[in-house]
Amino acid sequence: MKRILAMILLVILILVPVATFAAFAGGNTAEDDYGVSMCADEYVPRLTAPSKSNKYYYSNLNTLYAAGYGMPNCTAYAWGRAYEILGTAPKLSLNNAHYWYGYNKDNGYYPYGQTPKLGAIACWDNPSGGHVAVVEEITANTITFSNSGYGYKTFYLTHAGIGEANGGVTSYGWKFKGYIYILDGAVSKEPEGDIYQVDSSNGVNMRKGAGTSYSVLTAIPDKTEIVVTETKKANGYTWGKTSYMGTSGWCVLDFCKLIYKKPAPTEPPTTAAPETTLTETTVAETTIIETIGTMPPVMSPAPDFNADPSDPIENPVLLGDVNGSGDITITDATLLQKVLADINVNINMDGADVDGDGEITISDATYIQKKLASII
């Protein structure tokens, strides 16, 4: 009898690990009792710190690293991890972690929700900031997140129970917003309109219509990025139609900065004009137009800082080309950061002043960062 019991126990010990392995290696559709995606065959979890040679975290591929906001920093890590997972630059916010969930929700770049999935970006906020982390492993009971923390550790792991309130964070004031599913049907698209950033310490009110007589729907906090699809003039202000955290309405753009101007749509080709008898004048004009049409584009030459500023500019300016090299590189971003830090450096003002307001501001730096990240 004892021998029979021993044999049964041995069979159980052999079968349990096999069954457990099958549950976690069964493919993308395997789910537990909570409906949580348990495994993706192609997903490789990151459970150790990336090396300093990893280009997704420690090179100019990472826009936040290139701008001087590298690790330890939760946003630089999560943005780099998303790049590593997808193999292409993610369409995630470049702002404080506090804004990541709302920015994605408003712009519809990736699906989102409250259920943990592998590779998802977990988002929390509190009154003074926020945090983002990446879901690396999901077992029957536990979620494992990879993290980096500003002023804390370059890389560390945290854990939460499946279904645990607030994403496992118990610190006072922290609120779990949800997950951004970068692996689930990411939408590659241009913004629906111009992108502005709220530039008022008190934020701006979103109203039901374009005017101060309309009721206030909600408030949009300072530094929030919004996409404006329509503008109107009313009550001496310029109003923009936008959405924030699922609510649509109008806000005053006079207290916002334009950080991205959506290109105008390409005009369709016009039908050929009826044939006419060419005079000497029209022949000359036609020759000029055809010649210009075949000329390659000309970029601005390297700036001559001793030139007479009253001399006319003969060549078009490449916006974002701070050093006048004819291209936009990390050197341009670095020079602009020095200007913003009041360090005296020589720059091509025409190329550096991207928004044409006569000043070098964070708006100009943001444009270059997005150019380098191929966001615009």
Side-chain angles (χ1 to χ4, degrees):
M1 184 69 179
K2 289 182 180 180
R3 186 172 182 180
I4 293 174
L5 289 174
M7 290 180 67
I8 293 174
L9 179 60
L10 179 60
V11 170
I12 292 173
L13 290 174
I14 292 172
L15 291 180
V16 167
V18 172
T20 303
F21 176 80
F24 289 96
N28 297 342
T29 59
E31 296 184 349
D32 64 2
D33 294 337
Y34 298 91
V36 177
S37 176
M38 296 295 291
C39 184
D41 293 338
E42 72 277 10
Y43 188 80
V44 179
R46 174 165 288 287
L47 304 177
T48 58
S51 68
K52 290 295 182 69
S53 62
N54 191 312
K55 63 183 180 180
Y56 297 110
Y57 305 91
Y58 296 102
S59 81
N60 293 334
L61 276 181
N62 189 314
T63 301
L64 290 159
Y65 173 89
Y69 300 102
M71 297 156 54
N73 188 329
C74 67
T75 51
Y77 171 76
W79 202 91
R81 178 66 178 132
Y83 203 151
E84 185 177 42
I85 292 169
L86 296 172
T88 58
K91 293 183 182 296
L92 296 169
S93 174
L94 294 171
N95 212 329
N96 185 287
H98 171 79
Y99 303 107
W100 278 39
Y101 194 76
Y103 175 82
N104 178 72
K105 184 177 180 180
D106 288 342
N107 292 291
Y109 291 130
Y110 303 103
Y112 53 88
Q114 300 297 312
T115 302
K117 296 183 180 182
L118 292 176
I121 309 296
C123 306
W124 294 264
D125 69 4
N126 69 16
S128 60
H131 183 67
V132 286
V134 183
V135 177
E136 300 293 354
E137 286 187 334
I138 302 173
T139 67
N141 302 307
T142 306
I143 310 166
T144 298
F145 303 96
S146 62
N147 308 253
S148 181
Y150 179 74
Y152 184 51
K153 295 180 180 179
T154 299
F155 179 89
Y156 60 100
L157 299 176
T158 55
H159 308 276
I162 294 289
E164 188 175 350
N166 214 33
V169 176
T170 57
S171 300
Y172 176 78
W174 284 89
K175 180 181 179 180
F176 181 67
K177 305 294 290 185
Y179 297 97
I180 301 173
Y181 305 129
I182 62 172
L183 284 173
D184 290 0
V187 178
S188 178
K189 66 176 184 178
E190 287 296 316
E192 296 296 328
D194 301 334
I195 299 179
Y196 286 78
Q197 186 180 62
V198 177
D199 189 24
S200 169
S201 58
N202 295 322
V204 293
N205 287 328
M206 177 187 284
R207 296 180 179 271
K208 194 171 183 179
T212 54
S213 61
Y214 290 91
S215 59
V216 176
L217 300 175
T218 187
I220 306 177
D222 187 26
K223 307 304 180 187
T224 302
E225 294 176 1
I226 57 175
V227 177
V228 174
T229 56
E230 185 181 347
T231 59
K232 289 183 180 180
K233 297 280 188 179
N235 304 121
Y237 296 105
T238 300
W239 298 78
K241 187 176 183 180
T242 187
S243 61
Y244 173 69
M245 299 301 287
T247 301
S248 297
W250 295 77
C251 68
V252 174
L253 297 181
D254 301 72
F255 302 104
C256 303
K257 295 187 298 186
L258 177 66
I259 61 177
Y260 171 74
K261 182 72 175 175
K262 184 178 181 180
T266 304
E267 293 291 335
T270 57
T271 56
E275 293 185 4
T276 58
T277 304
L278 297 178
T279 64
E280 291 183 4
T281 303
T282 56
V283 170
E285 290 174 349
T286 303
T287 303
I288 292 172
I289 293 171
E290 290 177 350
T291 302
I292 293 175
T294 59
M295 292 175 64
V298 180
M299 298 300 180
S300 297
D304 180 1
F305 296 102
N306 297 316
D308 185 347
S310 64
D311 288 344
I313 298 175
E314 297 180 354
N315 294 315
V317 173
L318 177 61
L319 295 179
D321 181 15
V322 179
N323 64 354
S325 66
D327 196 7
I328 300 176
T329 67
I330 188 58
T331 302
D332 300 304
T334 302
L335 280 173
L336 214 56
Q337 290 289 339
K338 289 182 178 180
V339 172
L340 293 174
D342 293 325
I343 299 174
N344 187 21
V345 292
N346 287 333
I347 63 169
N348 176 15
M349 184 64 181
D350 292 324
D353 183 16
V354 175
D355 56 17
D357 63 358
E359 298 180 339
I360 303 301
T361 65
I362 190 64
S363 173
D364 304 308
T366 301
Y367 174 89
I368 293 176
Q369 292 167 13
K370 291 190 173 185
K371 268 290 188 183
L372 292 173
S374 299
I375 296 176
I376 57 175

